[in-house]
């Protein structure tokens, strides 16, 4: 018999086809499978989910023989890692697979925000170009880029930003040895020393609202905020207030609290570029992520530690 697998979020069709070939897949998002899932709970040893949805503590409690959660993403903020560890459940992500695509979105938001790409597009479409020239924008060249969280994605953002002439500095919760970039002592010091603050830090209880009103004040009226991490690491009240009052120059955001049901104030906030959490959303990367999920599951059922286990 094929091993039982709980699938909490949909994946790309070719990946789901491979999952169906290898496992008896129980789709938690399909209401018609509710009864069959209840009957299968004792047999389910593996779960696959997305970074945005994770897996609840309640699900882990309902699965007495769960041994692995394969996450189709790098975010683990929706998973109680301590509880999973206590239950001897490995949590494995797709670390490394999506690094470049997420970093590319960070760079895209920097360029789009500083160079007013979205506003320029609207200016042309509205017919206003024939009435007069578009206002001057801001060049990234020579600007100080602060990276809040220097993991793999943060490092990729920094490398790519240097190609545009940006001067990189960072703050990280733990020391980083393999870089010559300037390290700032605190997040506030980083904001004070940045023209553009790019948030790439992991979301957890310690980093909740780490970008607050004081950080935005330090970034200043000529500074830009870019967030490609999670919405919860930025105090959205403080951000909206800073944007409306001109306390920062603008923001490029790929992530929000309570997405996709985000606060409507963002729709009219000045000098903003908004994306629907598309950091890893390319065909190539989503396939690569799915293949990593398959590898992690295969390793677990072969009696091995999944290669990208995080807990």
């Amino acid at each position: 018999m094929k091993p039982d697998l709980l699938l909490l979020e949909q994946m790309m069709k070719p990946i789901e086809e491979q999952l169906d070939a290898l496992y008896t897949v129980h789709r938690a998002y399909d209401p018609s499978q509710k009864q069959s899932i209840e009957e299968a709970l004792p047999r389910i040893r593996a779960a696959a989910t997305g970074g945005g949805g994770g897996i609840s503590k309640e699900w882990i409690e309902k699965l007495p023989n769960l041994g692995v959660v394969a996450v189709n993403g790098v975010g683990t903020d929706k998973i109680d890692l301590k509880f999973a560890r206590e239950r001897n459940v490995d949590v494995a992500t797709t670390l490394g697979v999506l690094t470049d695509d997420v970093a590319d979105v960070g760079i895209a938001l920097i360029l789009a925000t500083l160079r007013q790409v979205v506003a320029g597009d609207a200016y042309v479409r509205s017919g206003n170009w024939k009435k007069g020239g578009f206002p001057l924008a801001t060049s990234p060249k020579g600007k100080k880029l602060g990276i809040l969280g220097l993991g793999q994605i943060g490092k990729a953002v920094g490398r790519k930003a240097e190609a545009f002439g940006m001067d990189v500095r960072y703050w990280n919760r733990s020391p980083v040895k393999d870089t010559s970039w300037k390290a700032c002592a605190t997040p506030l010091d980083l904001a004070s020393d940045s023209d553009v603050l790019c948030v790439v830090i992991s979301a957890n209880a310690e980093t909740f609202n780490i970008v607050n009103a004081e950080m935005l004040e330090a970034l200043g009226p000529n500074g830009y905020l870019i967030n490609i991490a999670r919405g919860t690491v930025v105090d959205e009240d403080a951000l909206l207030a800073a944007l409306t009052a001109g306390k920062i120059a603008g923001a490029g955001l790929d992530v929000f609290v309570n997405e996709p049901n985000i606060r409507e104030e963002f729709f009219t906030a000045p000098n903003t570029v908004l994306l629907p959490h598309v950091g890893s959303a390319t065909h190539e990367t989503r396939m690569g992520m799915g293949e990593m999920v398959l590898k992690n599951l295969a390793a677990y059922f072969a009696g091995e530690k999944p290669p990208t286990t995080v807990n």
Side-chain angles (χ1 to χ4, degrees), residues 34-93:
K34 183 176 180 180
Q35 183 60 41
S36 62
I37 290 174
E38 289 293 325
E39 295 170 358
L41 292 178
R43 302 195 307 270
I44 294 174
R45 296 172 54 203
T49 187
I55 185 171
S56 67
K57 187 176 179 180
E58 289 72 25
W59 265 119
I60 296 176
E61 288 175 329
K62 288 169 65 175
L63 300 166
N65 294 307
L66 183 66
V68 65
V69 176
V71 182
N72 189 36
V74 294
T76 57
D77 50 305
K78 297 296 180 65
I79 302 174
D80 188 331
L81 293 178
K82 182 176 181 291
F83 182 67
R85 192 178 300 115
E86 291 170 353
R87 297 283 292 249
N88 294 316
V89 177
D90 290 330
V91 176
T93 67

Side-chain angles (χ1 to χ4, degrees), residues 45 90 296-306:
R45 296 172 54 203
D90 290 330
N296 281 322
L297 291 171
Y300 169 75
F301 283 110
E304 302 168 1
K305 194 79 168 175

Side-chain angles (χ1 to χ4, degrees), residues 234-246:
V234 173
D235 182 338
E236 290 191 341
D237 286 336
L239 175 58
L240 286 164
L243 286 166
T244 302

Side-chain angles (χ1 to χ4, degrees), residues 96-116:
V97 179
L98 47 68
T99 298
D100 276 318
D101 272 353
V102 177
D104 285 349
V105 165
I107 295 298
L109 284 170
I110 291 171
L111 295 176
T113 307
L114 269 65
R115 295 302 306 270
Q116 297 288 311

Side-chain angles (χ1 to χ4, degrees), residues 213-262:
E214 188 179 17
M215 287 268 287
L216 295 169
E217 188 79 27
L219 186 59
N222 296 316
Y224 296 83
L225 179 73
I226 307 296
N227 188 6
I228 55 173
R230 284 287 192 268
T232 55
V233 301
V234 173
D235 182 338
E236 290 191 341
D237 286 336
L239 175 58
L240 286 164
L243 286 166
T244 302
K247 290 185 177 181
I248 64 172
L253 310 170
D254 186 41
V255 289
F256 305 84
V257 174
N258 198 35
E259 56 191 42
N261 302 308
I262 72 171

Side-chain angles (χ1 to χ4, degrees), residues 40-287:
L41 292 178
R43 302 195 307 270
I44 294 174
R45 296 172 54 203
T49 187
I55 185 171
S56 67
K57 187 176 179 180
E58 289 72 25
W59 265 119
I60 296 176
E61 288 175 329
K62 288 169 65 175
L63 300 166
N65 294 307
L66 183 66
V68 65
V69 176
V71 182
N72 189 36
V74 294
T76 57
D77 50 305
K78 297 296 180 65
I79 302 174
D80 188 331
L81 293 178
K82 182 176 181 291
F83 182 67
R85 192 178 300 115
E86 291 170 353
R87 297 283 292 249
N88 294 316
V89 177
D90 290 330
V91 176
T93 67
T94 57
L95 185 67
V97 179
L98 47 68
T99 298
D100 276 318
D101 272 353
V102 177
D104 285 349
V105 165
I107 295 298
L109 284 170
I110 291 171
L111 295 176
T113 307
L114 269 65
R115 295 302 306 270
Q116 297 288 311
V117 171
V118 174
D121 178 88
Y123 195 77
V124 173
R125 294 176 188 276
S126 67
N128 284 331
W129 191 11
K130 59 189 175 185
K131 300 176 184 178
F134 189 68
L136 297 178
T138 301
S139 172
K141 185 176 180 179
K143 298 299 185 295
K144 295 180 289 186
L145 172 65
I147 300 177
L148 187 66
L150 200 68
Q152 289 191 25
I153 296 172
K155 290 175 183 176
V157 170
R159 290 192 300 269
K160 293 169 188 285
E162 285 185 320
F164 292 93
M166 302 190 81
D167 184 12
V168 179
R169 63 261 296 115
Y170 71 93
W171 178 85
N172 199 60
R173 286 177 293 172
S174 55
V176 181
K177 297 179 180 179
D178 58 342
T179 181
S180 60
W181 295 328
K182 177 184 177 181
C184 293
T186 68
L188 187 61
D189 288 340
L190 179 68
S192 299
D193 195 32
S194 299
D195 299 306
V196 180
L197 180 64
C198 186
V199 185
V200 202
I201 199 163
S202 298
N204 53 45
E206 295 176 6
T207 61
F208 179 77
N209 280 358
I210 189 171
V211 179
N212 54 22
E214 188 179 17
M215 287 268 287
L216 295 169
E217 188 79 27
L219 186 59
N222 296 316
Y224 296 83
L225 179 73
I226 307 296
N227 188 6
I228 55 173
R230 284 287 192 268
T232 55
V233 301
V234 173
D235 182 338
E236 290 191 341
D237 286 336
L239 175 58
L240 286 164
L243 286 166
T244 302
K247 290 185 177 181
I248 64 172
L253 310 170
D254 186 41
V255 289
F256 305 84
V257 174
N258 198 35
E259 56 191 42
N261 302 308
I262 72 171
R263 295 173 58 164
E264 293 188 1
E265 296 98 310
F266 280 112
F267 302 158
T268 54
N271 300 324
T272 53
V273 178
L274 314 178
L275 293 178
H277 200 156
V278 294
S280 66
T282 65
H283 294 287
E284 296 84 356
T285 287
R286 289 292 169 86
M287 279 298 297

